[in-house]
Tab-separated table of all heavy atoms in Angstrom:
chain	number	residue	atom	x	y	z
A	26	ILE	N	35.422	22.514	-14.327
A	26	ILE	CA	34.248	22.165	-15.106
A	26	ILE	C	33.126	23.143	-14.755
A	26	ILE	O	32.869	23.400	-13.575
A	26	ILE	CB	33.790	20.729	-14.794
A	26	ILE	CG1	34.930	19.744	-15.068
A	26	ILE	CG2	32.555	20.356	-15.612
A	26	ILE	CD1	34.675	18.348	-14.516
A	27	GLN	N	32.489	23.648	-15.778
A	27	GLN	CA	31.421	24.617	-15.566
A	27	GLN	C	30.055	23.974	-15.794
A	27	GLN	O	29.898	23.135	-16.681
A	27	GLN	CB	31.567	25.794	-16.526
A	27	GLN	CG	32.847	26.580	-16.353
A	27	GLN	CD	32.946	27.727	-17.338
A	27	GLN	OE1	31.997	28.021	-18.078
A	27	GLN	NE2	34.076	28.399	-17.342
A	28	CYS	N	29.085	24.396	-15.017
A	28	CYS	CA	27.712	23.929	-15.145
A	28	CYS	C	26.786	25.142	-15.163
A	28	CYS	O	26.798	25.942	-14.226
A	28	CYS	CB	27.359	23.002	-13.991
A	28	CYS	SG	25.642	22.431	-13.991
A	29	GLN	N	25.999	25.255	-16.224
A	29	GLN	CA	25.079	26.376	-16.385
A	29	GLN	C	23.663	25.838	-16.544
A	29	GLN	O	23.422	24.947	-17.362
A	29	GLN	CB	25.457	27.199	-17.615
A	29	GLN	CG	24.553	28.397	-17.883
A	29	GLN	CD	24.798	29.531	-16.921
A	29	GLN	OE1	25.921	29.991	-16.752
A	29	GLN	NE2	23.743	30.006	-16.261
A	30	VAL	N	22.730	26.396	-15.789
A	30	VAL	CA	21.331	25.966	-15.837
A	30	VAL	C	20.486	27.106	-16.382
A	30	VAL	O	20.779	28.283	-16.113
A	30	VAL	CB	20.829	25.571	-14.435
A	30	VAL	CG1	19.450	24.922	-14.514
A	30	VAL	CG2	21.814	24.647	-13.753
A	31	ASP	N	19.435	26.768	-17.113
A	31	ASP	CA	18.642	27.816	-17.751
A	31	ASP	C	17.571	28.408	-16.842
A	31	ASP	O	16.763	29.233	-17.278
A	31	ASP	CB	17.982	27.274	-19.037
A	31	ASP	CG	16.908	26.230	-18.749
A	31	ASP	OD1	16.875	25.673	-17.628
A	31	ASP	OD2	16.101	25.973	-19.660
A	32	SER	N	17.536	27.999	-15.584
A	32	SER	CA	16.604	28.571	-14.628
A	32	SER	C	17.243	28.529	-13.235
A	32	SER	O	18.207	27.800	-13.008
A	32	SER	CB	15.286	27.792	-14.614
A	32	SER	OG	15.516	26.432	-14.320
A	33	GLN	N	16.693	29.320	-12.352
A	33	GLN	CA	17.246	29.362	-10.998
A	33	GLN	C	16.851	28.093	-10.236
A	33	GLN	O	15.687	27.709	-10.232
A	33	GLN	CB	16.734	30.603	-10.266
A	33	GLN	CG	17.260	31.903	-10.851
A	33	GLN	CD	16.873	33.105	-10.010
A	33	GLN	OE1	15.995	33.031	-9.163
A	33	GLN	NE2	17.542	34.225	-10.241
A	34	VAL	N	17.822	27.474	-9.621
A	34	VAL	CA	17.588	26.235	-8.884
A	34	VAL	C	18.198	26.356	-7.504
A	34	VAL	O	19.228	27.006	-7.319
A	34	VAL	CB	18.168	25.009	-9.614
A	34	VAL	CG1	17.441	24.775	-10.934
A	34	VAL	CG2	19.658	25.146	-9.837
A	35	THR	N	17.547	25.711	-6.557
A	35	THR	CA	18.062	25.742	-5.198
A	35	THR	C	19.161	24.704	-5.015
A	35	THR	O	20.203	24.974	-4.433
A	35	THR	CB	16.930	25.494	-4.194
A	35	THR	OG1	15.896	26.445	-4.417
A	35	THR	CG2	17.439	25.605	-2.768
A	36	MET	N	18.900	23.497	-5.510
A	36	MET	CA	19.792	22.387	-5.238
A	36	MET	C	20.580	22.033	-6.490
A	36	MET	O	20.017	21.799	-7.552
A	36	MET	CB	18.989	21.160	-4.753
A	36	MET	CG	17.914	21.514	-3.764
A	36	MET	SD	17.978	20.855	-2.125
A	36	MET	CE	19.540	20.269	-1.787
A	37	MET	N	21.890	21.973	-6.320
A	37	MET	CA	22.776	21.612	-7.413
A	37	MET	C	23.810	20.632	-6.868
A	37	MET	O	24.319	20.814	-5.754
A	37	MET	CB	23.445	22.865	-7.982
A	37	MET	CG	24.236	22.643	-9.235
A	37	MET	SD	24.899	24.214	-9.887
A	37	MET	CE	23.497	24.805	-10.799
A	38	PHE	N	24.106	19.602	-7.659
A	38	PHE	CA	24.983	18.529	-7.206
A	38	PHE	C	26.046	18.220	-8.250
A	38	PHE	O	25.841	18.428	-9.435
A	38	PHE	CB	24.169	17.243	-6.964
A	38	PHE	CG	22.950	17.438	-6.115
A	38	PHE	CD1	21.721	17.683	-6.704
A	38	PHE	CD2	23.030	17.364	-4.740
A	38	PHE	CE1	20.587	17.869	-5.937
A	38	PHE	CE2	21.895	17.546	-3.958
A	38	PHE	CZ	20.674	17.807	-4.561
A	39	TRP	N	27.136	17.667	-7.771
A	39	TRP	CA	28.179	17.143	-8.640
A	39	TRP	C	28.369	15.653	-8.355
A	39	TRP	O	28.514	15.251	-7.204
A	39	TRP	CB	29.494	17.876	-8.424
A	39	TRP	CG	29.486	19.270	-8.982
A	39	TRP	CD1	29.273	20.433	-8.310
A	39	TRP	CD2	29.709	19.628	-10.343
A	39	TRP	NE1	29.333	21.504	-9.171
A	39	TRP	CE2	29.604	21.042	-10.420
A	39	TRP	CE3	29.987	18.914	-11.516
A	39	TRP	CZ2	29.778	21.737	-11.618
A	39	TRP	CZ3	30.166	19.602	-12.703
A	39	TRP	CH2	30.059	21.005	-12.743
A	40	TYR	N	28.341	14.866	-9.452
A	40	TYR	CA	28.518	13.433	-9.363
A	40	TYR	C	29.718	13.005	-10.201
A	40	TYR	O	30.129	13.697	-11.144
A	40	TYR	CB	27.291	12.690	-9.925
A	40	TYR	CG	26.053	12.724	-9.076
A	40	TYR	CD1	25.149	13.775	-9.171
A	40	TYR	CD2	25.766	11.687	-8.199
A	40	TYR	CE1	23.991	13.799	-8.405
A	40	TYR	CE2	24.606	11.691	-7.430
A	40	TYR	CZ	23.729	12.749	-7.543
A	40	TYR	OH	22.580	12.762	-6.788
Side-chain angles (χ1 to χ4, degrees):
Chain A
I26 303 168
Q27 298 179 7
C28 177
Q29 180 74 53
V30 189
D31 68 343
S32 57
Q33 293 187 344
V34 295
T35 305
M36 317 242 17
M37 188 176 276
F38 310 93
W39 287 99
Y40 287 86

